[in-house]
Amino acid sequence: MLSFLNLLNKFGAMNESYKIISSSMLYWFSQKKWFVFSVMLAIFLLNLSTPIGLTVAGYHSLIILLMVFILVTFEPIPFPAIALLTLVLQVLLGVAPPDVVAESFMNDAVLFVMGSLMFAIAIVHQGLDIRLAKIIIGIFGRSKRLFLGGLMTISAILSSFLGEHTIIAIMLPIGLSVIKNIDTKQTDGKNAVLLTLFSVAYGTIIGSIGTPSGGARNVIMINYLQEFSSINIDYWEWMKHAYPILIVQLVVAYFVLQFAFPTTLKNIQIKGYKKKIAKSNTRDNINHLFSSIIILLIIISWFLFNEELGLGIIALCGALIFMICGMVSWEVINKNTNWGVILLFAATISLGFQINETGASSWLVTKFNALLALMPESSFDISWSFMAILTGLTANFFTSSATISLLGPMAIELQPSDISFALSAAIASGFSFLTVISSPTAMILYSTGLVSTKTFFKVGLLMFTSSIAILYLMSKFYWVTL
Amino acid sequence: MNILIAIGGKEYSKPTLDLGMKIANAFEATTTIAYVGKKISQFSEKDVSVVHQNLDNRELYRPGVRTLEWAYDFLESKRYIKKDNSVAFNDHLLIDEENSRMRVLLKGSHSNKIDLILRTGEIIDQLRSEVATSNHDITIIGGGGNKGMHHKLVQFIDSSVMVVKNYSVNKKYRILLPVNNSMGSNKAIQIAEKFAKSKKLPIEIITVLENKSSDEKLRTILRKTEQKFTNAGIKNTATILEGDPVQAVVKYAKDDSLVMLGVSPKNPFLKYFFGSKPISIAQQCNCPVLIAK
């Protein structure tokens, strides 16, 4: 062995071009090691015999699921490549024929992801933040704490209808304007900055559970419920279940943040900001009026026509109207839409369907139920807790929509006739309080450079635990009354 | 000559920036100061980009610009660049040059020898791209990162690498130059000579004898290097050490040493999995270390 290494070393020392090539190969390997690992793991698992009770197609679909988990978590290759790989492997490994894979690739949930991303860009492009800031200051500007509470509440309400990625882009500049020039070297100033930023972020994160259009995961779960259990949940039905949780969470979040970041708020210059925005002329901006009308029309359509038209088509209509009216150009939408994420969601939803169709989700649930049978306590509570905590935690490392598109079928399979399991899984996956990679809001907050991963986790742990407890209590005592 | 100085947080980057500029001035080099922002998950990269565009529209600095502004002010205050009242950072312009690379342009005339670059992503990947884009000869980075990061930097960045650890602006430094018969060592000798001449620093040349077969060769290299520096009018001493090269150099280096040594000629695969002597020295020394390529 040693002589082989010496030989290798001598050869390396002799040949410069060999060094360059091997360095490039090593760099590729160091960047793609998780891809190599996932492929090797898949090959190893494919060579094992299929577990008893599971079809070959089902086994292969679970192997692809494992690969997708690794690839999405560590991102060794671009998302569009993961999406294409998922589709190709489904056909190559015999999970489903090409036509079936193609059919499951596009549905209303995918249209919703596409439409809501485009709609969000169109809204953000209108520069509504100044007008919104005027409204918030008008209503909540009497005191600094009231202002922060108002910022959180307005963020939550808007995010529940328009999605967190839209609202964080509008609200963050307001938050950053208020904390501009604060000296973060002193604890009081630093806490004032964190309290402001977290108020906006927690507002948007919490809000996203409120209605189906708050997040793609909600729409994906509604679609799965329709397909697998023939249960229809409309916009209002979802709100009835989720909005009370949102309200309780908001109150809890307010106190959690006051506890985590104690500050006198003396550094926050509301008056200065008030004067600054008073100078900006928004009255004559006709686009703001049209934007508000379009947004209202879309929200009303989600309420009234979601069953006939589908949430995705309505979201697409929103983007379409903005484009037709010339309020946003295709170039802007094309440049800022994350097409890779759309492809990835489409591919994972397709895989989610195949996991259900091949019986893989039933097999997993059977195994899980066999484990539960060994428990002395109420198996309902244990399986509920397991599902809620598992989806909540997975979403924090894997993002919520991807989690639901892959774990959603299993959540439904656990209690096919009881929507509380499916809803709990979808709502818990929105508790992205623990890691900065869990949601666009968390990542945007982190990208400001003002919030560390450690701070995010420490406060988030408290918020995550209380949110799971709130969800449990609501599903146990409030949902049964509906 | 092109020099790349990678900076992070304001306080921690002062020594890196100061030493980096001293080296750049010594070589009369064009300097790029790069801030590499946090890596954004692919899920959120477009959302983050939209928010940053929004911040630009609202005249709120996007993350990293403040650090570059601080770096620019620091260079002015230390007179590494001439103060120019017509240049104000408030009027900066961000030019999106390519994927995840932005150049900060300041209004008015300013030194065309300083480039301010904003990048986002994984640090090794971004610095590697930056070196490839502008053909930098030396990359200078703070010693705050983990040991694995320094290993990867030395292995994958196509320039000499300096890790600035425990550097004090006011301390009087001496160059510690371990020499051997490698190509990298020749390059280190060239850099040390130029830097010592410009900053009037003394050089301590050392060589470590590991086995008898290479003894005479190393003694000759030591003598020749000593002669070279004496002829150039650089104050120098030459010392022969024995034992394990890494331990000998680490033990010999003091807090006021600026270690300059050549990259290992070892096979890249072996370096990746087992490391190399220069990498170990850079990881273990508590002073700035330059690995010349």
Side-chain angles (χ1 to χ4, degrees):
Chain A
M1 179 67 181
L2 212 70
S3 58
F4 171 72
L5 292 178
N6 283 336
L7 194 73
L8 202 65
N9 198 14
K10 274 180 190 162
F11 181 63
M14 276 160 50
N15 194 333
E16 253 333 283
S17 54
Y18 162 79
K19 269 188 185 176
I20 293 167
I21 293 167
S22 50
S23 266
S24 304
M25 280 168 62
L26 274 171
Y27 184 68
W28 182 90
F29 176 76
S30 76
Q31 297 298 99
K32 311 282 178 195
K33 56 181 179 288
W34 284 106
F35 173 71
V36 175
F37 170 74
S38 71
V39 171
M40 284 166 70
L41 183 67
I43 292 171
F44 170 74
L45 291 172
L46 283 169
N47 279 299
L48 297 180
S49 53
T50 308
I52 298 161
L54 189 60
T55 61
V56 174
Y59 180 50
H60 288 179
S61 71
L62 291 181
I63 292 173
I64 302 172
L65 171 74
L66 190 63
M67 272 187 90
V68 172
F69 263 115
I70 295 170
L71 295 176
V72 171
T73 306
F74 297 102
E75 302 186 12
I77 56 173
F79 277 0
I82 302 174
L84 300 182
L85 186 72
T86 310
L87 298 178
V88 169
L89 285 180
Q90 283 186 62
V91 178
L92 287 184
L93 297 180
V95 174
D99 286 347
V100 175
V101 171
E103 218 170 275
S104 60
F105 186 66
M106 190 52 81
N107 60 27
D108 189 54
V110 181
L111 288 183
F112 176 79
V113 175
M114 195 193 295
S116 67
L117 288 178
M118 290 156 81
F119 189 41
I121 290 156
I123 294 171
V124 174
H125 193 66
Q126 307 310 315
L128 289 166
D129 53 322
I130 297 282
R131 189 173 284 273
L132 213 50
K134 280 185 177 176
I135 296 171
I136 295 171
I137 282 189
I139 304 173
F140 304 101
R142 273 166 292 158
S143 88
K144 290 175 184 177
R145 274 185 215 281
L146 191 66
F147 173 77
L148 292 182
L151 208 58
M152 187 154 83
T153 311
I154 298 286
S155 299
I157 294 170
L158 291 175
S159 152
S160 70
F161 293 105
L162 300 172
E164 57 176 295
H165 54 286
T166 319
I167 300 311
I168 189 71
I170 295 173
M171 300 300 270
L172 192 71
I174 301 177
L176 285 174
S177 302
V178 174
I179 58 169
K180 200 178 170 182
N181 301 327
I182 290 185
D183 180 12
T184 51
K185 278 181 193 154
Q186 290 168 344
T187 313
D188 194 62
K190 192 178 176 187
N191 280 354
V193 167
L194 292 173
L195 183 62
T196 311
L197 292 178
F198 271 90
S199 296
V200 177
Y202 276 10
T204 55
I205 292 173
I206 291 168
S208 69
I209 65 164
T211 77
S213 59
R217 59 183 179 274
N218 305 343
V219 183
I220 293 170
M221 189 51 99
I222 289 175
N223 260 35
Y224 278 163
L225 276 169
Q226 270 170 356
E227 288 288 333
F228 305 150
S229 295
S230 304
I231 295 173
N232 279 322
I233 300 186
D234 65 18
Y235 207 83
W236 178 238
E237 185 76 10
W238 183 287
M239 275 185 78
K240 273 199 299 189
H241 283 83
Y243 235 84
I245 299 173
L246 182 159
I247 293 165
V248 178
Q249 261 191 303
L250 268 184
V251 176
V252 171
Y254 180 82
F255 289 108
V256 164
L257 292 181
Q258 301 293 327
F259 167 74
F261 307 116
T263 169
T264 58
L265 293 180
K266 64 178 180 203
N267 296 302
I268 292 185
Q269 303 296 329
I270 299 278
K271 279 183 187 163
Y273 183 56
K274 214 185 238 182
K275 276 181 197 163
K276 195 187 161 193
I277 59 165
K279 280 182 203 163
S280 51
N281 184 14
T282 48
R283 197 172 293 174
D284 302 332
N285 196 332
I286 195 80
N287 275 12
H288 287 183
L289 177 69
F290 276 125
S291 306
S292 309
I293 293 171
I294 296 169
I295 292 168
L296 264 177
L297 274 177
I298 295 300
I299 294 174
I300 291 167
S301 306
W302 272 328
F303 266 108
L304 299 179
F305 311 116
N306 72 87
E307 279 186 62
E308 295 83 356
L309 299 177
L311 292 160
I313 291 292
I314 296 171
L316 280 175
C317 281
L320 188 64
I321 297 169
F322 272 110
M323 276 193 278
I324 291 172
C325 294
M327 292 160 76
V328 65
S329 67
W330 168 247
E331 285 70 29
V332 170
I333 288 196
N334 187 30
K335 186 186 160 203
N336 295 307
T337 301
N338 201 334
W339 300 107
V341 163
I342 297 169
L343 270 179
L344 184 73
F345 282 162
T348 50
I349 290 168
S350 160
L351 182 62
F353 271 101
Q354 301 319 329
I355 287 171
N356 187 68
E357 292 297 309
T358 55
S361 56
S362 307
W363 180 81
L364 280 176
V365 169
T366 312
K367 292 277 163 196
F368 176 63
N369 284 336
L371 266 179
L372 278 186
L374 303 172
M375 304 276 182
E377 296 298 320
S378 155
S379 66
F380 182 89
D381 286 347
I382 293 173
S383 58
W384 183 94
S385 309
F386 178 81
M387 181 44 73
I389 294 170
L390 178 74
T391 45
L393 286 179
T394 312
N396 271 283
F397 295 95
F398 194 64
T399 82
S400 53
S401 300
T403 300
I404 286 304
S405 56
L406 294 172
L407 296 184
M410 280 158 255
I412 295 170
E413 193 77 41
L414 269 172
Q415 295 285 335
S417 55
D418 184 353
I419 62 163
S420 71
F421 264 67
L423 277 183
S424 298
I427 291 173
S429 72
F431 298 159
S432 42
F433 300 112
L434 297 176
T435 66
V436 295
I437 53 161
S438 55
S439 69
T441 301
M443 191 43 95
I444 287 165
L445 197 65
Y446 175 65
S447 80
T448 60
L450 297 166
V451 179
S452 69
T453 48
K454 211 172 150 188
T455 310
F456 196 86
F457 178 77
K458 266 166 100 181
V459 191
L461 194 60
L462 202 58
M463 203 52 222
F464 181 82
T465 321
S466 13
S467 299
I468 291 284
I470 295 166
L471 179 61
Y472 176 74
L473 292 173
M474 286 292 192
S475 68
K476 188 100 178 158
F477 301 108
Y478 166 66
W479 287 358
V480 287
T481 64
L482 294 175
Chain B
M1 197 170 196
N2 286 338
I3 288 184
L4 170 64
I5 306 173
I7 58 168
K10 293 175 192 175
E11 284 307 309
Y12 303 109
S13 300
K14 242 182 212 173
T16 314
L17 205 51
D18 192 69
L19 182 57
M21 285 311 293
K22 278 185 180 140
I23 294 175
N25 283 0
F27 288 94
E28 293 173 352
T30 305
T31 312
T32 303
I33 297 169
Y35 172 90
V36 181
K38 299 181 186 315
K39 184 179 183 252
I40 307 298
S41 140
Q42 288 184 56
F43 270 115
S44 310
E45 60 187 12
K46 292 283 183 184
D47 297 312
V48 171
S49 157
V50 168
V51 169
H52 286 179
Q53 286 169 40
N54 239 7
L55 295 184
D56 293 342
N57 294 342
R58 296 281 167 257
E59 292 172 359
L60 293 163
Y61 286 172
R62 65 167 73 201
V65 175
R66 282 249 184 241
T67 312
L68 288 175
E69 180 187 23
W70 163 82
Y72 193 82
D73 290 345
F74 179 78
L75 299 188
E76 270 190 346
S77 69
K78 290 275 172 186
R79 296 186 184 167
Y80 287 120
I81 48 175
K82 277 184 194 160
K83 199 170 172 73
D84 183 350
N85 289 333
S86 66
V87 178
F89 217 94
N90 288 342
D91 294 328
H92 77 271
L93 206 62
L94 276 176
I95 311 287
D96 204 342
E97 294 205 322
E98 58 170 87
N99 212 6
S100 67
R101 183 181 198 257
M102 297 189 113
R103 183 191 294 271
V104 181
L105 276 188
L106 304 183
K107 210 172 163 185
S109 62
H110 67 286
S111 166
N112 56 7
K113 285 200 151 193
I114 301 276
D115 262 341
L116 300 173
I117 299 294
L118 196 62
R119 281 183 169 268
T120 41
E122 201 257 322
I123 187 149
I124 307 285
D125 196 30
Q126 292 304 316
L127 293 183
R128 194 177 138 94
S129 302
E130 191 56 41
V131 169
T133 307
S134 307
N135 294 319
H136 293 102
D137 301 286
I138 305 177
T139 301
I140 299 169
I141 188 164
N146 58 41
K147 288 180 177 178
M149 191 185 86
H150 295 144
H151 182 164
K152 281 185 183 169
L153 273 171
V154 175
Q155 174 111 38
F156 295 127
I157 289 190
D158 196 18
S159 75
S160 301
V161 173
M162 181 169 220
V163 179
V164 182
K165 221 189 277 180
N166 193 28
Y167 175 77
S168 165
V169 178
N170 302 319
K171 207 181 276 175
K172 193 88 183 138
Y173 278 86
R174 62 203 170 98
I175 295 172
L176 179 62
L177 182 70
V179 290
N180 61 19
N181 56 349
S182 69
M183 294 256 288
S185 183
N186 291 340
K187 182 89 183 170
I189 293 168
Q190 283 173 24
I191 294 176
E193 184 186 356
K194 203 153 188 185
F195 191 55
K197 236 179 178 177
S198 162
K199 296 288 162 195
K200 297 191 173 54
L201 299 180
I203 300 182
E204 286 185 297
I205 318 157
I206 57 169
T207 194
V208 187
L209 305 180
E210 254 184 303
N211 50 51
K212 288 201 169 146
S213 63
S214 62
D215 275 11
E216 205 40 52
K217 220 186 238 176
L218 291 176
R219 282 178 204 277
T220 315
I221 292 168
L222 187 74
R223 266 198 309 275
K224 278 187 180 170
T225 315
E226 191 184 1
Q227 192 60 51
K228 186 182 166 86
F229 289 154
T230 309
N231 292 345
I234 299 167
K235 212 169 140 188
N236 69 84
T237 58
T239 311
I240 294 173
L241 302 174
E242 282 181 8
D244 172 57
V246 175
Q247 289 313 314
V249 175
V250 171
K251 212 171 157 189
Y252 196 83
K254 301 284 177 303
D255 279 0
D256 62 349
S257 299
L258 266 177
V259 183
M260 293 188 176
L261 73 170
V263 72
S264 165
K266 220 170 159 182
N267 183 294
F269 281 101
L270 294 179
K271 266 197 264 185
Y272 184 76
F273 292 107
F274 303 107
S276 70
K277 287 168 195 164
I279 289 171
S280 302
I281 290 169
Q283 287 171 342
Q284 291 176 37
C285 274
N286 193 28
C287 60
V289 177
L290 181 139
I291 299 176
K293 281 188 189 174

